[in-house]
Amino acid sequence: MARIELRNVEKRWGAVWGVRGVNLDIAEEEFVVFLGPSGCGKTTTMRMIAGLEEPSSGEILMDGENMNGVDARDRDVAMVFQGYALYPNMTVYENIRFPLRMRKVPRSQHDALVRRAAEMVQLTELLDRKPGALSGGQRQRAALARAIVRQPKVFLMDEPLSNLDAKLRQHMRVQIRHIQRDLRITTVYVTHDQIEAMTLADRIVVMRSAEIQQIGTPDEIYNDPANTFVAGFIGAPPMNLVEGGIEGGVFRAPGLEVPLPGRGDLGRVILGFRPEDCAVSMDGGELRGCVYGVEPTGDVTYLTLKAGERLIEIKADRQFRAPLDSPVQVALDPARLYLFDGETGRRIR
Amino acid sequence: MASLRTTRRDSRLLRYLILGTWALVCLVPVAWFLSIGLRPRVEIITPRPIYWPTFSLDAWHMIWEDWPMARYLRNSVAAIFGSVLIDLVLAIPAAYSLARYQYRGRDDIAFYILSTRMMAPAIVAIPIFFLFRSLGLLDTVWALMIVYAAINLSLVTWIIRSYMLDIPKELEDAARTDGASDLRILWEVIVPAIRPGIITASVIAMIFAINEFLFTLLIASTPNAYTMSVALANFTGGSDGVIYNAIALVAFLAFLPVFLVVLLIQRHLSRGLTMGAVKG
Ligand SMILES: Nc1ncnc2c1ncn2[C@@H]1O[C@H](COP(=O)(O)OP(=O)(O)O)[C@@H](O)[C@H]1O
Ligand SMILES: [Mg+2]
């Protein structure tokens, strides 16, 4: 229910940059996901929005109001912490109820609200336990319940599903999306899991080494990556990135020869193509190599092939089988090739 | 395999032997005290060895009936518990401030607090005497309470601070985003989370207070403020000479409550002592 703006926000500790030059507008009711590897500044950005960390420079606005200097308890946000941060001496029930007590929600509503929140995260049976008697996944769900028990202006979730097993994680993803839609609360969500980002986000903010790499919808991030980092971070397996050179409108690298009509001499470049945009073919293809690994998973077969010294991932048909070291040819979808600058990694459009 | 088993049994035997010896060394004086306390006075000072001690409650009756031991006990309990209470009320906020807030000179203040512990008590004995005299508190339990609290405050603060440093900062951040004020964070989140530390600090303070002698002797001049530890001194002078069995019994009675408390909470205590030692 709140609009959040980050204006040139920076955070540094001495020589260490936590976050650098972040500009971002988050619309009301939007679900924004910060995606990036560990240590890239996701938590720091989130803590600054929460008011737990003061930016070294720049401004954070909520509904147009400058929040610099406003204490965390006065910002009306609810946060799920990466380390759960459950109160060890209180039961799960008391933990979930704590924000209601602190925010002076009428006592008569507490029980119903706590139970509803516990139900959403499937924790009803464990309400009497202390956090010390819970597994990692259960603690994480208790932390989530404590955040969704009331209606704040903003939800901040720092890797709230990182400790759940795959099945529960998928279930909770759907749950979180529903909770957010039903409560219509602006949400900032941090993860290093690109699937989570793709499935949950209205918009994804990809970060790396304290800086934003790209902001866009999941489709934009997937179809139109701004640089090799984003391209290599999204997708499972991620985009293949092959270094080579363009001469006379043809990209060449060991085992790979791709005509790129209309491209002049660009010197050293990186060619990118996604494993799913390839097809194994019998009668010629741009990519030639030999089979390095075949992994049937049921719905798709992952083929790793070796071209020159490089390993390339292909999503092949699920019936595809081939002996190791046998030669294969792969055709690339000419409409779905990406070129990046060999030096900077930036996309060449 | 066989030899392995033997060595393991041997090492266990050795361990029991060492610990048993250690326990014996610790317990013999206590048992001796008790045995002196429960024997008639003549038997204790006789030069001839006695193989079968005579059991007697002489000393027991004497301390309760001829001496106001109940009152000394009450004074001790009041002064000790009162002092621990004062310590906790002062130390918990101080420790929180030292553990959490950033301000200039914080570490110096922390060290200063601890350094008061390193001072020889006799140095301040005379100023303290005059201070309490001006305050009109000489020979009162209040004065004892304040002195014990002052002696222990640094250690209590230091132990509690070391426990607070162990609490993840995220816990307070969570409470803050949940809307809790600093005071509520301290009271509802921090204090319950460091309960073992508070217990440890309290027990250590109690042990020091029970054993305190110098200042008690200085302040207490009549049974009005005598405590168990000072009462012992009463049995050494006067027309009756040194009353060993009464001394022994009172010493044992002073020792017993501490012993029981330590026994009850020893798990917390050992953790607390090492933590206090390693951290900070
Ligand atoms: N309190 C701090 N003091 C110094 N450096 C910090 C502090 N907090 C975070 N950092 C540094 O800032 C960077 C970003 O950290 P963080 O935001 O936690 O990353 P992420 O959540 O993306 O894994 C890291 O290099 C980290 O070491
Ligand atoms: Mg993080």
Side-chain angles (χ1 to χ4, degrees), chain B residues 107-174:
Chain B
D107 294 339
D108 299 324
I109 293 173
F111 180 75
Y112 167 74
I113 289 177
L114 190 68
S115 73
T116 60
R117 182 87 213 175
M118 304 167 188
M119 177 180 58
I123 295 171
V124 289
I126 294 183
I128 280 185
F129 179 83
F130 283 116
L131 182 67
F132 281 122
R133 197 177 62 176
S134 332
L135 290 171
L137 287 176
L138 276 186
D139 200 30
T140 64
V141 173
W142 301 112
L144 296 179
M145 216 181 272
I146 294 168
V147 165
Y148 296 167
I151 293 172
N152 285 320
L153 188 57
S154 58
L155 200 64
V156 172
T157 308
W158 201 262
I159 293 174
I160 291 178
R161 170 178 169 269
S162 81
Y163 271 82
M164 283 178 174
L165 287 173
D166 270 12
I167 295 182
K169 193 168 175 300
E170 256 193 4
L171 210 59
E172 283 168 55
D173 292 340

Side-chain angles (χ1 to χ4, degrees), chain B residues 19-199:
Chain B
L19 290 177
T21 314
W22 174 242
L24 205 67
V25 169
C26 292
L27 286 176
V28 158
V30 176
W32 202 331
F33 256 84
L34 188 61
S35 101
I36 293 174
L38 296 177
R39 275 192 281 166
R41 213 175 150 199
V42 281
E43 197 177 303
I44 296 158
I45 45 176
T46 176
R48 277 179 294 115
I50 292 169
Y51 297 102
W52 272 119
T54 326
F55 177 78
S56 147
L57 285 176
D58 281 0
W60 178 264
H61 291 305
M62 180 185 175
I63 61 170
W64 297 110
E65 283 152 27
D66 300 351
W67 299 83
M69 194 49 61
R71 173 162 207 176
Y72 300 162
L73 189 65
R74 215 168 46 233
N75 287 346
S76 281
V77 169
I80 289 164
F81 279 95
S83 75
V84 170
L85 207 67
I86 294 173
D87 277 339
L88 291 181
V89 167
L90 296 177
I92 289 173
Y96 185 59
S97 151
L98 291 174
R100 275 297 180 263
Y101 297 117
Q102 302 280 347
Y103 46 87
R104 278 230 329 257
R106 183 186 63 169
D107 294 339
D108 299 324
I109 293 173
F111 180 75
Y112 167 74
I113 289 177
L114 190 68
S115 73
T116 60
R117 182 87 213 175
M118 304 167 188
M119 177 180 58
I123 295 171
V124 289
I126 294 183
I128 280 185
F129 179 83
F130 283 116
L131 182 67
F132 281 122
R133 197 177 62 176
S134 332
L135 290 171
L137 287 176
L138 276 186
D139 200 30
T140 64
V141 173
W142 301 112
L144 296 179
M145 216 181 272
I146 294 168
V147 165
Y148 296 167
I151 293 172
N152 285 320
L153 188 57
S154 58
L155 200 64
V156 172
T157 308
W158 201 262
I159 293 174
I160 291 178
R161 170 178 169 269
S162 81
Y163 271 82
M164 283 178 174
L165 287 173
D166 270 12
I167 295 182
K169 193 168 175 300
E170 256 193 4
L171 210 59
E172 283 168 55
D173 292 340
R176 217 135 59 87
T177 37
D178 281 346
S181 64
D182 280 10
L183 215 62
R184 295 200 83 156
I185 293 176
L186 179 60
W187 193 243
E188 296 205 31
V189 176
I190 309 291
V191 166
I194 57 157
R195 207 156 39 196
I198 292 178
I199 293 173

Side-chain angles (χ1 to χ4, degrees), chain A residues 47 52 71 73 77 81-90 98-99 101-103 146, chain B residues 169-182 184-185 188-189 192-193 195:
Chain A
R47 288 175 60 85
L52 296 169
D71 198 276
R73 71 176 67 94
V77 303
F81 288 81
Q82 202 171 356
Y84 322 135
L86 295 170
Y87 310 122
N89 53 297
M90 300 181 203
F98 190 76
R101 283 203 292 128
M102 294 303 125
R103 301 276 178 195
R146 185 176 62 187
Chain B
K169 193 168 175 300
E170 256 193 4
L171 210 59
E172 283 168 55
D173 292 340
R176 217 135 59 87
T177 37
D178 281 346
S181 64
D182 280 10
R184 295 200 83 156
I185 293 176
E188 296 205 31
V189 176
R195 207 156 39 196

Side-chain angles (χ1 to χ4, degrees), chain A residues 293-303 317-321:
Chain A
V294 178
E295 297 167 291
T297 63
D299 61 336
V300 64
T301 298
Y302 292 103
L303 163 64
D317 195 79
R318 68 179 152 135
Q319 269 114 25
F320 178 85
R321 298 289 184 278

Side-chain angles (χ1 to χ4, degrees), chain A residues 307-327:
Chain A
E309 284 306 300
R310 171 175 297 281
L311 295 179
I312 289 171
E313 296 280 340
I314 307 288
K315 270 190 195 171
D317 195 79
R318 68 179 152 135
Q319 269 114 25
F320 178 85
R321 298 289 184 278
L324 294 188
D325 296 329
S326 59

